[in-house]
Amino acid sequence: MPFRMSGYIPFGTPIVVGLLLPNQTLASTVFWQWLNQSHNACVNYANRNATKPSPVSKFIQGYLGAVISAVSIAVGLNVLVQKANKFTPATRLLVQRFVPFPAVASANICNVVLMRYGELQEGIDVLDGDGNLVGSSKIAARHALLETALTRVVLPMPILVLPPIVMSVLEKTALLQARPRLLLPVQSLVCLAAFGLALPLAISLFPQMSEIETSQLEPEIAQATSGRTVVYNKGL
């Protein structure tokens, strides 16, 4: 259940809240990026096109690559912000709140590609209009991964960009200044609302069963069907 798309919001929101906590230390940055990409790796693996078997070793390699890339990008950006002498402390704090987005978006692309690299090597099944198997296409696999990677860039935009903006406004209100203990619950609700908006928006960008013209695929597939197009499961 934690790795289904229906479980992405309830199980992912606490991680998003952790990613957006202010005044992150190096250790906390590494921890939340590791936890986020671990969750994403399992979601990507569970929602891949599973027509071809994928060995556990490939999962482990993809997982390690995704986590290392995420942590490296996030830590690198945080170090750059800390060393930016032109920023005032208030500006530096604000900029740090936006660091998770480029780190997560970049790592999400690495995560999808590494977790589903086997599809690029072996191809995925393509079907004709009647649902009959036409063949296995590496070109269709590239299209599937590109579409999924784009959704993983769009997905964190509202989640990691809107809450910092909203919270920077809410933190100035008399209610939260008088009751600082409410900051975390309010931020959690804002993150939950942003997540609920972003997930259906992102995964609806491309249909799960995508269509592609046979002329764009391998010659042997184009010759195996009289149809102008075939469909493939891009995964989620």
Side-chain angles (χ1 to χ4, degrees):
M1 188 180 294
F3 310 134
R4 295 176 183 171
M5 277 298 167
S6 57
Y8 208 176
I9 294 175
F11 289 97
T13 298
I15 300 173
V16 172
V17 173
L19 283 169
L20 293 174
L21 289 173
N23 300 315
Q24 295 268 16
T25 63
L26 179 62
S28 65
T29 298
V30 170
F31 172 76
W32 288 112
Q33 288 291 342
W34 163 76
L35 189 60
N36 183 52
Q37 290 305 323
S38 296
H39 184 228
N40 285 346
C42 293
V43 169
N44 289 333
Y45 185 80
N47 293 279
R48 72 197 187 284
N49 180 313
T51 53
K52 299 290 172 62
S54 179
V56 177
S57 60
K58 294 289 186 184
F59 171 81
I60 294 173
Q61 288 173 11
Y63 168 73
L64 291 175
V67 169
I68 290 169
S69 64
V71 172
S72 301
I73 294 167
V75 171
L77 287 173
N78 267 322
V79 169
L80 285 175
V81 171
Q82 290 288 355
K83 291 184 176 181
N85 297 323
K86 294 181 180 180
F87 292 154
T88 64
T91 304
R92 186 179 289 113
L93 180 61
L94 183 62
V95 170
Q96 276 184 306
R97 284 183 157 182
F98 289 99
V99 163
F101 171 66
V104 168
S106 304
N108 281 357
I109 296 174
C110 298
N111 201 317
V112 169
V113 173
L114 290 169
M115 294 306 302
R116 296 175 56 179
Y117 187 69
E119 296 174 35
L120 294 175
Q121 293 180 310
E122 300 190 19
I124 58 175
D125 291 348
V126 293
L127 313 172
D128 62 18
D130 298 321
N132 300 313
L133 178 63
V134 176
S136 184
S137 170
K138 294 180 181 179
I139 296 174
R142 288 204 297 269
H143 280 260
L145 261 67
L146 176 61
E147 291 170 350
T148 306
L150 286 174
T151 66
R152 295 301 192 272
V153 173
V154 173
L155 177 59
M157 279 184 187
I159 301 171
L160 298 176
V161 173
L162 286 179
I165 296 173
V166 173
M167 289 306 298
S168 66
V169 174
L170 293 180
E171 285 170 0
K172 297 174 183 176
T173 61
L175 176 65
L176 291 184
Q177 286 188 343
R179 297 174 178 82
R181 289 184 179 180
L182 292 177
L183 279 172
L184 187 58
V186 170
Q187 179 167 317
S188 301
L189 289 174
V190 171
C191 289
L192 181 62
F195 212 153
L197 168 71
L199 183 62
L201 174 67
I203 63 175
S204 67
L205 288 176
F206 304 99
Q208 184 172 353
M209 297 302 294
S210 293
E211 192 174 69
I212 186 171
E213 292 186 4
T214 52
S215 59
Q216 298 180 32
L217 301 178
E218 293 86 344
E220 61 270 21
I221 293 179
Q223 295 168 6
T225 178
S226 58
R228 189 177 64 85
T229 62
V230 291
V231 296
Y232 58 89
N233 179 8
K234 76 168 181 64
L236 288 175

